[in-house]
Amino acid sequence: MEPTDILPIVAILSIVTVEFGGHALLRFITTDRDRLGAFRERFFRAGHAHAGVLLVLSLVYLLYLPRAGFSDAGEWLCGVVLLTGVLAQSGGFFLHLGVGKEGGRSPGTMLTRSGALLLAVALVALAAGLIRAA
């Protein structure tokens, strides 16, 4: 199978986990608000929102990827870098809410920044491929 046949399936199924996260967030907010606290609630929301938006971005990305003229290996690389960036960017927020302190750095902030870098690399690669193919 082509990377653009498999990777969108991964992204779509990942959206289901984001939906579950939204349900969990609503349960925390409506029933266990004091258990999370303002700091953790803020990072729970940030991780959840970034995951949802970036997964939708990945679906658009994967529609344009075949137009860039990359080999199958290039498409796999770009798609995996993109989805890894999505997981790292949003996952860093969740990691920070678990181990971070308000106003401080943690492995979560490093993971979020790494995810942003991976996303940028994947987006620039796609843009370059589309420019080259035009």
Side-chain angles (χ1 to χ4, degrees):
M1 289 183 84
E2 299 288 320
T4 52
D5 292 333
I6 296 171
L7 295 174
I9 294 168
V10 171
I12 290 168
L13 291 176
S14 297
I15 291 173
V16 174
T17 66
V18 173
E19 291 176 336
F20 176 76
H23 172 71
L25 177 61
L26 283 175
R27 284 191 59 217
F28 281 128
I29 289 172
T30 58
T31 60
D32 299 317
R33 187 173 188 99
D34 295 334
R35 201 169 91 193
L36 266 184
F39 168 74
R40 286 189 170 82
E41 183 181 321
R42 188 170 61 244
F43 281 91
F44 195 109
R45 285 179 190 237
H48 178 74
H50 278 79
V53 169
L54 292 172
L55 284 169
V56 172
L57 167 71
S58 73
L59 293 174
V60 174
Y61 182 98
L62 294 167
L63 285 174
Y64 279 91
L65 189 56
R67 297 180 188 180
F70 296 133
S71 65
D72 276 356
E75 286 186 2
W76 273 110
L77 180 63
C78 287
V80 167
V81 167
L82 177 80
L83 291 176
T84 302
V86 170
L87 288 172
Q89 172 89 52
S90 57
F93 288 107
F94 293 109
L95 182 59
H96 186 71
L97 81 83
V99 301
K101 304 284 186 235
E102 191 158 4
R105 293 182 179 180
S106 75
T109 56
M110 293 293 292
L111 185 60
T112 295
R113 289 182 180 133
S114 299
L117 182 61
L118 289 171
L119 287 166
V121 167
L123 291 168
V124 169
L126 178 61
L130 291 171
I131 289 168
R132 190 189 66 199

